[in-house]
Amino acid sequence: MNTADALPTRCEVLVVGSGAGGATTAAVLAEAGLDVVVVEEGEWIAQGEIVPFSLEQMERQYRSGGVTVALGRPGIAYTEGRCVGGGTEINSGLYRRPPADVLDRWRDQYGIADFAPEEFDSIADEVEEELSVRTVPGAVTPSSGLLRDGSDALGWRQSEIPRWMEYPEGGSATSGRRRSMTETYLPRARRAGARVVSGCRVRRLREAGRGVVVDVEVAGARREVLADHVFVCGGAIQTPALLQRSGLRRDVGASLAIHPTVKLSARFPDEVNVGDDVPVHQVKEFAPNLSFGGSASHPGLLALALSDEWPQFGQVVESWRHMSVFYAAITSEGRGRVDALPGFQDPVVTYRLTRRDRDLLRAGLNRLALVMLEAGATEVYPSYRGAPVVRGRRDLADLAARFSANRASVMTVHLCSTVPMGESERCPVDSFGAVKAADRITVNDASLLPDAPGVNPQAAVMAIAIRNARHFAARRSGGRT
């Protein structure tokens, strides 16, 4: 289902990207009376049109089929949404506000002006109401209960993380409908007059006089759109790449922050697999440095988690109904880069783990295996080359001794901080996302977060994007552009 609008030649505000940052930006500005056009490289796919976590979804809603790697030792796989609604259409819907000390650190270390916690919390309240953020009605899925029970047996702090889901009366954990951007803020934007154009790739931006010339490719043809102002909301990889292609390079893309994760698969006596959903419990005993959670465990993804040691592990995939995939995520000290190079359509992404990061990944995988054993796992299969099968506590020392980050399948779904906001000299945009080296270009997505928040970043992205868009609309209505 494609409900895209036609691409105009002129508009007041053009928003590049339709995810958590772009959709909220569009809604706020359109509802303030501005003429808004949202352009999105991917297609518009209605919820329910394809199976969650399926190969079809990866082909149609993920960039590069969901397989993209930040170069380094090790290479780190990452995922990006490439569809109307962006990452909100493909993620698990888990929602958590960043801790107050994280917001304070961002304000103080990066010099973010007018960054009041009261305003942030007020906007977050609005977001949570719009997205129907809530816990699961009734019992959680079996794999979620395993995380809860295993951590409780160890006396480790855990909790159920709420989701932006709408559940029918008397619904269950798997009956929810995700309140993604195509269900919430994009319809709001369109009701206020905004147009959403899918299948439209923005190649570069060029300020000219009192506007921005936007060079786009749509339906195989090159076009130009003249906008009074452009909001770049393409995510932490595509946003810095577009700015760089547009000649805006200073301090852009040089500070990529992520939450690196390592995984394992665990087999249990009973059936536990729910292939089209994820566990809602997370273990935060060692937060903010380390946390544990559950991944999608579709049979294909389970096979992928076993693939690092396939000759030894591969045969157990036949028991997939008794298995689930879990992860250990860290808040990394390392940083990465995003570089748009001439002649390449996609940017080159690199990332370097520190020694502390590597040690923390080892400790995290070891502790996660212990949680699984305490939850009743009969075998644990770590996702790294040369890994042993863990059947009891006596095997944990062997797991740790053999582990090397360079042999592990390290990945991330949380990307941020490539265009950090603030008044500090190291920030390429100001406290509200306006590009310092340009007059009519603003960034408003995960790129702005000064560092990785230690929790799912979407709550922070949406609250900050709404804050910044309101600031822009207020200045615009006051006659200052």
Side-chain angles (χ1 to χ4, degrees):
M1 175 181 177
N2 189 334
T3 58
D5 299 305
L7 181 70
T9 58
R10 201 178 190 321
C11 63
E12 280 188 276
V13 177
L14 186 136
V15 179
V16 182
S18 59
T24 48
T25 298
V28 168
L29 298 183
E31 289 170 351
L34 297 174
D35 173 33
V36 176
V37 173
V38 181
V39 292
E40 167 60 51
E41 186 176 358
E43 59 181 314
W44 188 306
I45 299 174
Q47 278 193 48
E49 187 175 331
I50 54 181
V51 177
F53 308 113
S54 65
L55 290 177
E56 182 184 6
Q57 185 184 48
M58 297 180 91
E59 290 173 359
R60 296 180 63 188
Q61 290 187 291
Y62 287 72
R63 183 174 299 278
S64 303
V67 182
T68 323
V69 177
L71 303 177
R73 298 187 66 242
I76 300 176
Y78 64 90
T79 59
E80 294 179 276
R82 183 179 175 271
C83 58
V84 175
T88 71
E89 307 301 316
I90 61 176
N91 61 25
S92 59
L94 298 175
Y95 177 98
R96 191 158 188 158
R97 295 189 193 186
D101 64 311
V102 170
L103 299 177
D104 291 341
R105 184 180 73 245
W106 289 351
R107 181 192 62 233
D108 296 341
Q109 293 186 4
Y110 290 81
I112 304 175
D114 300 323
F115 196 58
E118 297 81 11
E119 180 186 18
F120 184 96
D121 287 340
S122 176
I123 296 173
D125 288 341
E126 295 176 32
V127 169
E128 289 158 22
E129 179 69 22
E130 179 72 24
L131 301 188
S132 301
V133 174
R134 56 168 297 180
T135 55
V136 168
V140 298
T141 58
S143 53
S144 190
L146 293 170
L147 273 170
R148 177 197 60 212
D149 296 344
S151 59
D152 282 350
L154 292 164
W156 291 355
R157 179 167 48 95
Q158 56 77 25
S159 62
E160 179 184 343
I161 308 303
R163 306 170 81 179
W164 56 90
M165 286 282 188
E166 192 170 57
Y167 294 93
E169 185 71 26
S172 66
T174 58
S175 66
R177 184 177 181 87
R178 184 187 294 109
R179 297 279 289 167
S180 64
M181 295 304 97
T182 57
E183 301 270 316
T184 55
Y185 283 95
L186 287 173
R188 274 180 54 174
R190 297 183 82 177
R191 286 195 297 271
R195 289 158 285 180
V196 180
V197 183
S198 62
C200 183
R201 174 180 171 82
V202 179
R203 300 175 66 90
R204 60 182 52 83
L205 310 171
R206 175 172 55 86
E207 289 195 316
R210 294 182 62 80
V212 182
V213 177
V214 184
D215 178 8
V216 304
E217 183 176 337
V218 59
R222 295 282 289 274
R223 296 269 304 277
E224 286 187 348
V225 178
L226 180 62
D228 293 347
H229 201 95
V230 171
F231 276 78
V232 184
C233 308
I237 304 299
Q238 302 306 318
T239 285
L242 174 57
L243 294 178
Q244 291 174 7
R245 293 198 304 269
S246 304
L248 301 168
R249 289 186 167 272
R250 183 175 178 181
D251 296 321
V252 169
S255 54
L256 173 65
I258 66 174
H259 294 142
T261 69
V262 286
K263 292 185 177 182
L264 56 74
S265 305
R267 181 160 64 171
F268 296 87
D270 300 321
E271 292 189 5
V272 299
N273 191 290
V274 180
D276 60 354
D277 204 3
V278 299
V280 292
H281 279 84
Q282 292 181 357
V283 183
K284 293 292 185 179
E285 177 70 16
F286 309 102
N289 294 322
L290 176 64
S291 62
F292 309 136
S295 297
S297 298
H298 184 279
L301 297 176
L302 177 61
L304 185 63
L306 296 167
S307 64
D308 288 297
E309 193 58 26
W310 188 257
Q312 184 184 8
F313 296 170
Q315 74 281 0
V316 302
V317 77
E318 296 179 2
S319 302
W320 65 268
R321 290 183 177 84
H322 293 255
M323 301 183 69
S324 256
V325 181
F326 301 89
Y327 69 82
I330 70 168
T331 302
S332 174
E333 286 184 343
R335 285 296 176 114
R337 292 188 59 89
V338 177
D339 291 293
L341 303 180
F344 290 82
Q345 176 169 299
D346 295 319
V348 174
V349 181
T350 56
Y351 198 88
R352 179 181 177 274
L353 296 172
T354 66
R355 179 180 294 276
R356 172 264 189 191
D357 293 342
R358 295 167 183 271
D359 291 342
L360 201 52
L361 287 171
R362 174 187 287 107
L365 194 62
N366 214 46
R367 292 171 181 172
L368 177 59
L370 178 59
V371 173
M372 295 298 100
L373 293 174
E374 290 295 318
T378 54
E379 295 99 21
V380 174
Y381 302 89
S383 295
Y384 68 89
R385 295 187 303 280
V389 178
V390 176
R391 295 185 172 90
R393 288 192 177 216
R394 65 185 180 280
D395 298 322
L396 294 177
D398 193 22
L399 183 159
R402 294 196 201 183
F403 177 84
S404 167
N406 290 347
R407 296 198 301 269
S409 292
V410 185
M411 61 88 63
T412 188
V413 294
H414 298 162
L415 305 147
C416 56
S417 313
T418 45
V419 192
M421 66 181 186
E423 305 307 319
S424 167
E425 290 185 0
R426 57 183 162 171
C427 298
V429 299
D430 71 10
S431 298
F432 295 93
V435 177
K436 294 177 181 177
D439 295 324
R440 296 176 176 271
I441 300 172
T442 296
V443 172
N444 215 20
D445 59 18
S447 308
L448 297 179
L449 307 188
D451 56 40
V455 297
N456 187 307
Q458 185 160 313
V461 171
M462 297 183 74
I464 289 171
I466 291 171
R467 163 191 179 266
N468 294 350
R470 286 177 175 167
H471 176 79
F472 176 87
R475 292 182 67 239
R476 186 91 175 182
S477 65
R480 299 185 298 251
T481 61

